[in-house]
Amino acid sequence: MKGNMNNMMKQMQKMQKKMMKAQDELHEMVFEASAGGGMVTVTANGKKEITDVKIEEDVVDPDDVDMLQDLILAATNDVLNQIDEKTNDTMGQFTKGMNLPGGGMF
């Protein structure tokens, strides 16, 4: 019985190391999304930190600030959704088959 418990603990530690490595790799990834046919581009890292925003001069119209704001929001939401999807795909492999509270999402 004790041997099974030790083996299970080793497996859990091994899985935890893999999870931490996967999470570190996710945090280092770069995600990019654009809106308006590339008029606004937002870049973020896997920690959901926005690292860059590029706005083409052609889209800067003082008479239509609302459109620019909408493009920035669309690109930002898109990049954040990309990060969520990649995180769920990557980290979900560790929680498959486990009955964790909250669905096992990170």
Side-chain angles (χ1 to χ4, degrees), residues 13-29:
Q13 288 172 344
K14 197 175 186 182
M15 188 173 83
Q16 187 176 15
K17 282 182 185 175
K18 284 184 179 179
M19 285 175 63
M20 290 174 73
K21 184 176 189 271
Q23 193 169 33
D24 287 344
E25 289 172 359
L26 268 171
H27 288 175
E28 296 299 316
M29 288 183 177

Side-chain angles (χ1 to χ4, degrees), residues 60-78:
V60 180
D61 180 354
D63 295 327
D64 196 1
V65 174
D66 287 343
M67 182 185 68
L68 178 56
Q69 291 170 338
D70 289 345
L71 292 174
I72 293 169
L73 284 174
T76 302
N77 286 328
D78 187 11

